[in-house]
Amino acid sequence: STFNDMQGRLKPFQANLGHMAIDAIEARDIDQLMNEMSFTGTNRQNYKRYLSGFFNWAVRQKKTGSNPVTETETVKVESHTPEIYTPSQVKALFSACYKEEKPRSELIPFFAIAFFAGVRPEEIMRLEWKDIDLSLGEIHIRAGHSKTRQARIVHLSDNLKKWLLQCPQKEGSIFPYSETSLKRWRKEVHQKAGVEVIHDGARHTFATFYLALHGLDDTLQELGHTDPKMLFKHYRGLAKNRKAQAQKFFEIAPATGEKVLKIEKQGAA
């Protein structure tokens, strides 16, 4: 989760700078530690972001007068085009959920919302069936469930609605299992499908194909972004000339006779 990630990011600083008074820590102390720990590029930028959040909190609490992270060395980050799944790979993943050996149809609601609505994994883990209005074709991401703490409405594509309508249970959590179960089951499904895991691949795939069909403004709204620069920078090139592929992607739907297992246990490890 984001909270656990934040704790992990701050541990090296607590271990190495925890002996210093908070208002005595300077930018050079932070840069020196990051250099010693070989933090570079995006990794360094992520550590700086969490550390900056901590110092901003300390300033608000009047524990220090300024945020030293703002004066640290500028991070150079290489820009990479996000990797995405092809429609055939996505289809293979859904098919693998129904294979007789270790079927994992419990993953279907999670996969469907991740791929065809672009909702972040941590947001899906907090979603409940009452947040989905199948008649209106909407998913309501509550502020308390959103990564950005901003409520938003995500619209259901026709194929996503078909995946959700076949789910027997329409109450409680969308995915009432542990994060450990999610990781293990997802790994099993990817192995059965012969598809390599792409970090944030479902959201990147959705963003690319949705942009190809619906344009920048609608895609920003669905993803919950306010700044078009990142979307334009990362996905415009990917989305170009992918309209036919995007149409195939949003046509992926359950085959006749495929049913999701009734979800009974909560918090299975």
Side-chain angles (χ1 to χ4, degrees):
S1 69
T2 302
F3 179 73
N4 289 336
D5 191 28
M6 179 180 69
Q7 283 188 313
R9 300 277 186 186
L10 292 178
K11 273 185 180 178
F13 300 97
Q14 183 182 17
N16 291 276
L17 302 178
H19 65 284
M20 299 176 67
I22 191 168
D23 58 356
I25 298 173
E26 298 179 356
R28 62 185 178 183
D29 299 315
I30 296 169
D31 280 328
Q32 182 179 343
L33 178 57
M34 287 193 171
N35 290 338
E36 288 174 357
M37 301 193 77
S38 301
F39 292 158
T40 59
T42 302
N43 191 35
R44 188 174 183 128
Q45 193 173 50
N46 288 336
Y47 274 102
K48 284 179 63 172
R49 186 174 75 251
Y50 286 115
L51 193 59
S52 184
F54 166 74
F55 276 105
N56 284 336
W57 169 84
V59 170
R60 290 195 299 272
Q61 297 295 315
K62 298 188 174 11
K63 296 179 182 294
T64 185
S66 62
N67 180 352
V69 180
T70 61
E71 298 174 16
T72 55
E73 296 171 4
T74 302
V75 179
K76 292 182 180 179
V77 180
E78 292 182 8
S79 179
H80 297 285
T81 301
E83 289 184 83
I84 65 171
Y85 295 103
T86 65
S88 60
Q89 287 176 322
V90 175
K91 198 169 183 178
L93 287 172
F94 278 88
S95 296
C97 290
Y98 294 105
K99 286 192 175 176
E100 289 183 11
E101 187 183 345
K102 290 187 178 179
R104 285 300 176 205
S105 64
E106 304 98 324
L107 280 173
I108 291 296
F110 186 97
F111 269 12
I113 294 170
F115 275 107
F116 304 124
V119 179
R120 298 176 180 93
E122 63 269 27
E123 293 174 338
I124 301 175
M125 295 292 281
R126 300 173 193 134
L127 266 182
E128 298 180 24
W129 281 105
K130 66 181 180 182
D131 299 319
I132 299 178
D133 191 323
L134 289 168
S135 60
L136 286 177
E138 295 176 348
I139 300 175
H140 296 257
I141 310 291
R142 289 179 264 168
H145 293 172
S146 168
K147 179 183 176 182
T148 62
R149 295 296 179 237
Q150 297 289 321
R152 73 182 188 276
I153 292 175
V154 178
H155 297 92
L156 300 178
S157 58
D158 289 340
N159 70 323
L160 173 52
K161 194 179 288 189
K162 289 176 183 176
W163 284 109
L164 296 179
L165 281 169
Q166 66 153 8
C167 298
Q169 183 164 323
K170 299 290 193 304
E171 59 182 27
S173 298
I174 293 292
F175 187 78
Y177 304 98
S178 68
E179 197 172 336
T180 303
S181 294
L182 172 63
K183 288 178 180 177
R184 187 175 73 246
W185 295 350
R186 191 161 52 179
K187 184 179 179 181
E188 287 176 7
V189 168
H190 273 266
Q191 286 175 340
K192 283 193 289 183
V195 177
E196 283 190 32
V197 176
I198 298 173
H199 181 64
D200 288 336
R203 186 168 166 86
H204 291 164
T205 302
F206 169 83
T208 299
F209 292 138
Y210 199 88
L211 181 60
L213 294 177
H214 300 285
L216 187 64
D217 289 343
D218 285 348
T219 308
L220 280 171
Q221 182 180 329
E222 296 299 312
L223 292 174
H225 287 177
T226 54
D227 185 359
K229 290 179 183 176
M230 188 190 77
L231 191 70
F232 193 81
K233 179 181 178 182
H234 291 305
Y235 298 107
R236 182 174 174 245
L238 272 176
K240 191 177 181 182
N241 300 323
R242 287 186 189 262
K243 193 168 183 178
Q245 202 175 29
Q247 288 170 338
K248 285 183 180 178
F249 174 74
F250 285 106
E251 287 171 358
I252 297 171
T256 305
E258 289 180 338
K259 295 289 183 184
V260 177
L261 296 177
K262 186 174 180 181
I263 297 171
E264 295 176 350
K265 283 192 173 183
Q266 296 226 356

